[in-house]
Amino acid sequence: MTRSRANPGGMRVGEGLPFRERKPPWLKVPAPGGPTYRHLKSMIHEQNLHTVCEEANCPNVGECWERGTATFMILGDVCTRRCGFCNVQTGKPTWNDPLEPMRVAASVKRMGLRHAVVTSVDRDDLPDYGAGAFVGVIRSIRMLAPACKVEVLTPDFRGQEMPLAKVVHERPDVFNHNVETVSRLYPKVRRGSDFRRSARVMRLAKEMGSDEVVTKSGLMVGLGESFEEMVEAFAILREHHVQVLTVGQYLRPTEQHLPVVRYWHPDEFAALERAAYGLGFESVAAGPLVRSSYHADESAREVAERRASAAAA
């Protein structure tokens, strides 16, 4: 167990809403339980795989699994960093299964997925920061389920170019790395990370992958940022060649995590979406329940259709 993520080193980092305060009505979602959801849940657990859908308590898990999309979390379920918002456990990882890429690919094939998102915990303990595992999963899915689109949601690899190059060389359909929040809030929200470093990862990924790879990033609101700061962050991401953007509401997982400062109204998300499109993003999903992998298949398809239309014009 780690110290409280809301009070690193015992220091208070800001006030927020009470943990058990009633949430606004627009954050209510039905509990998952459809037949496809139950079937996929059983298969994933049988294969001893992890999904960020479950580890992060994603509110859209039922909808996404019913749609035939899922987000796999590779390299175990223990992260080497301690972000104040994340529900994944932290500590010193001890598990690394070399057969995991093939098991993920086999599950993708059995599940009949149309779009698979592959993410991981931060593995700063590994020489390549886990890049080799992403390479193995991409290759395995291409071999066993070639019709399935592959989106990777990677750590920042500590800003190192070689691990990033290894992943982009495999040409995933979408390369995603979330900046998560505005630059000012990084010291308390993403300790151990850096906004500009994450933005540079996106720029390098696009330069390495060119038009063969769609770049994507995401942010949360509700941690104390302003509208103007969000738009400024969007502009920086566009300057670094990010094409797809997601924006959602932060929901506090436990009392040990950072408090929610406020809940943004759906109208504010609509304004953020308009601002993002105005900056030139090719696909934007902004809403209280939007998460990085929410309707990931639609975002990828939207970019492809826009590109095809532009080429035909």
Side-chain angles (χ1 to χ4, degrees), residues 128 181 235 312:
D128 67 350
T181 189

mmCIF file of all heavy atoms in Angstrom, residues 128 181 235 312:
data_model
loop_
_atom_site.group_PDB
_atom_site.id
_atom_site.type_symbol
_atom_site.label_atom_id
_atom_site.label_comp_id
_atom_site.label_asym_id
_atom_site.label_seq_id
_atom_site.Cartn_x
_atom_site.Cartn_y
_atom_site.Cartn_z
ATOM 1 N N ASP A 128 13.258 -1.088 -21.148
ATOM 2 C CA ASP A 128 12.611 -0.389 -22.261
ATOM 3 C C ASP A 128 11.277 0.206 -21.841
ATOM 4 O O ASP A 128 10.465 0.589 -22.681
ATOM 5 C CB ASP A 128 12.425 -1.317 -23.463
ATOM 6 C CG ASP A 128 11.418 -2.430 -23.190
ATOM 7 O OD1 ASP A 128 11.003 -2.603 -22.012
ATOM 8 O OD2 ASP A 128 11.037 -3.129 -24.145
ATOM 9 N N THR A 181 -4.135 16.235 -17.694
ATOM 10 C CA THR A 181 -4.550 17.489 -17.075
ATOM 11 C C THR A 181 -3.692 18.633 -17.591
ATOM 12 O O THR A 181 -2.756 18.417 -18.374
ATOM 13 C CB THR A 181 -4.454 17.388 -15.535
ATOM 14 O OG1 THR A 181 -5.069 18.539 -14.935
ATOM 15 C CG2 THR A 181 -3.006 17.309 -15.079
ATOM 16 N N ALA A 235 -4.446 23.662 -27.506
ATOM 17 C CA ALA A 235 -3.624 24.323 -28.525
ATOM 18 C C ALA A 235 -2.221 23.726 -28.564
ATOM 19 O O ALA A 235 -1.644 23.525 -29.645
ATOM 20 C CB ALA A 235 -3.564 25.830 -28.254
ATOM 21 N N ALA A 312 -10.224 12.949 -51.838
ATOM 22 C CA ALA A 312 -11.079 12.888 -53.022
ATOM 23 C C ALA A 312 -11.451 14.283 -53.542
ATOM 24 O O ALA A 312 -11.843 14.429 -54.701
ATOM 25 C CB ALA A 312 -12.352 12.114 -52.703
#
